[in-house]
Amino acid sequence: MAPTTFEPEQFEKLLTWLNDDREAAGEKYAAIRERLVKIFRARGCHQPDELADETIDRVVKKIDTIFDSYQGDPALYFYAVAKNVFLESVRAPKTTELTENLSVIESPEKDEDSEIEDQNYGCLDECLEELPPEQREFILGYYTDNKGAKVERRKKIATDLGISNKALRIRAFRIREGLRKCITNCIKKYRPG
């Protein structure tokens, strides 16, 4: 992982963005970093601390852009960036097909502000974290791979679980519907109306 290249003033601005009270900002920063490490660890990353630091570095570098314009919980912004860091780290996006199957997640035009997309992915990550570990692992595994590899992987999952392909699809549908409801509620929380 490359060393940090942001200025100390940017980090100070990040802390102010998290909370005007310096001590509360430090606590929030520590809680966000700890959650990032847990997220990366839960996703099977071999270097969760380094990926958490990379996520924080990227947010710090964008602080001048997001400081005045971002609305909502700053932690969600970190989680959205973490999703991108994770996807880059594995070079095989596991949640791409899943997000395509969750119609509540809007796909903003490339020219539009990416805050909506960041909030959407933040909500997806938040809802994935709320799933029991076995359901989270199942749904991410279900949407791993492309085309032929996906078919083979799903057959293997069904075999490992001792269920039919139909039962596998039903299980995925139920988890996906739960995620859809969770994401809808999350999005309403950050974008009422």
Side-chain angles (χ1 to χ4, degrees), residues 145-179:
D145 299 320
N146 294 314
K147 301 187 181 179
K150 174 174 57 179
V151 172
E152 290 305 313
R153 177 154 178 84
R154 289 180 181 177
K155 283 181 184 177
K156 182 178 179 343
I157 293 171
T159 302
D160 291 348
L161 293 173
I163 59 177
S164 69
N165 287 334
K166 183 176 181 179
L168 184 78
R169 286 191 303 275
I170 291 170
R171 184 177 291 190
F173 173 79
R174 287 181 179 152
I175 294 171
R176 196 172 58 239
E177 284 304 300
L179 282 171

Side-chain angles (χ1 to χ4, degrees), residues 33-152:
R33 187 182 185 286
E34 184 178 326
R35 171 109 187 220
L36 289 170
V37 171
K38 286 179 182 177
I39 288 169
F40 288 123
R41 189 173 292 129
R43 291 184 173 180
C45 297
H46 297 292
Q47 299 176 320
D49 290 299
E50 289 82 355
L51 293 175
D53 291 339
E54 173 66 20
T55 301
I56 292 167
D57 288 353
R58 290 184 187 189
V59 174
V60 170
K61 289 176 188 174
K62 291 198 62 129
I63 193 63
D64 292 331
T65 306
I66 61 175
F67 187 82
D68 292 322
S69 62
Y70 185 81
Q71 295 181 352
D73 184 1
L76 288 178
Y77 190 87
F78 281 90
Y79 304 145
V81 172
K83 177 198 163 286
N84 292 331
V85 169
F86 171 72
L87 293 176
E88 290 171 17
S89 75
V90 295
R91 297 197 193 279
K94 291 182 178 181
T95 57
T96 302
E97 186 181 345
L98 177 59
T99 58
E100 291 169 1
N101 282 285
L102 294 168
S103 60
V104 295
I105 295 185
E106 305 163 15
S107 296
E109 297 298 320
K110 291 186 183 199
D111 295 343
E112 287 185 27
D113 194 1
S114 64
E115 285 183 31
I116 291 173
E117 186 176 11
D118 291 343
Q119 288 175 348
N120 290 341
Y121 283 117
C123 285
L124 173 60
D125 284 339
E126 194 175 291
C127 291
L128 283 169
E129 285 298 313
E130 290 178 14
L131 287 176
E134 65 278 355
Q135 285 186 4
R136 181 174 50 247
E137 184 179 323
F138 169 83
I139 200 71
L140 289 173
Y142 186 84
Y143 286 105
T144 299
D145 299 320
N146 294 314
K147 301 187 181 179
K150 174 174 57 179
V151 172
E152 290 305 313

